[in-house]
Amino acid sequence: MTKTKIITTGGAGYIGSHTAVALQEAGFEVVLIDNLSNSNEEVVHQIAKITGTTPRLEKVDLCKEQEAFACFQRHQDAMGVIHFAALKAVGESVAQPTRYYHNNLVSMLHVLEAMQKHNIPNLIFSSSATVYGQPDQLPVTENTPLQEAASPYGQTKQMNEVMIRDAVHAGEIPQAISLRYFNPVGAHDSALIGELPIGIPNNLMPFITQTAIGIRKELAVFGGDYDTPDGTALRDYIHVMDLAEAHVQALQFQLEGKQNEKYDIYNLGTGVGSTVLEVIHSFEKTSGRKLPYRIVDRRPGDVAMIYANVDKAAKSLGWRTQRDLDEMTRTAWKWEQYAREKMGS
Ligand code: NAD
Ligand code: UFG
């Protein structure tokens, strides 16, 4: 039987590679489109080791119109696109806004145009909890009003959502779903794929694992005076494999024609918040290592607390997270220990 083909843009990246595994395990044929600006070609072999199938990798920059359109033409038999490709570093986006607007908006436009041209009917988009800013009420639902984004990166996510919404409402794209990820962490249990940040990590989990392995001296905990249970900031961390499985369920929902609203939005988190100290304690428990850390000033632009209401995804998609914080820190640590050797970096 022919497999249903799905295009994943940014499919060689952190979340895309885990989703490629979940899609292949669910029986889909996966094509990765990636310019490898923040990923490594080696990932396709790692995916093959896990699933037994090597996904096709198209080395294409989605901002280059001809390249992008030619690639979509080669895969016009695809039934859906999952659009992960983006630049994603919040701080870097403040320093290089034009580069971020160019990459994240132009690539989105080309995806929408190519989907129209080739009648590819389903789109799933990687959005972010950053679109909520610091909300007045917690947990946040999909109806919580959006705040002015705190960074050009956040602006691109808000703008991308608007571009998709308008394209769907005008009938240019039959249907689309935006998935607002909270804080994705962890790695596939095999430790064959995971997150490989370039340079000094901005995010908490890779900073923790790099500190524990000795690449960083100590973790700076940004802020100990927030109005949270222990004074450190609180986030909704979600295991990347739970996130990957949500994409498969959202896609199946679309393919089975179950989507009532032609453009729909789902929060993807666990619904439970953890403070920075809770993450450190979980890491120390699962790794058996003491983590050197120091509480320092707050990081500018950080919100005190945010966590998701995930009832909508549970009710409509039948999706719930399966993995807890200990599983997130355990797999993140396992990946850190083997990553550099396996990925040749
Ligand atoms: P990632 O950097 O690991 O993956 C993104 C991939 O897109 C990379 O492989 C990169 O090479 C590719 N890419 C970027 N620009 C491209 C272009 N013009 N053409 C082709 N490929 C291009 O990031 P990730 O963590 O896997 O994030 C995936 C998506 O999820 C992004 O849209 C990101 O903004 C979003 N997101 C991530 C997080 C997070 O904390 N990781 C949180 C919320 C939302
Ligand atoms: N933190 C530290 N020390 C560090 C790094 C982070 O204390 O060295 C703290 C932060 O202050 C924050 C928490 O750990 O309280 C989580 O920080 P991350 O940088 O890991 O994640 P953010 O919540 O800031 O942002 C993440 C992604 C964004 C995305 C956002 C909302 O990096 O891309 O979630 O989805 F937009």
Side-chain angles (χ1 to χ4, degrees), residues 128 130 181-183 202-204 220 222 233 235 237 299 302:
S128 166
T130 194
Y181 312 157
F182 279 65
N183 286 58
N202 294 303
N203 296 116
L204 179 63
F222 298 133
R235 297 286 183 276
Y237 297 94
R299 181 170 68 176
D302 272 353

Side-chain angles (χ1 to χ4, degrees), residues 192-213:
L192 287 163
I193 53 172
E195 188 177 15
L196 255 194
I198 294 168
I200 302 173
N202 294 303
N203 296 116
L204 179 63
M205 194 64 84
F207 208 105
I208 287 178
T209 58
Q210 290 194 9
T211 304
I213 212 158

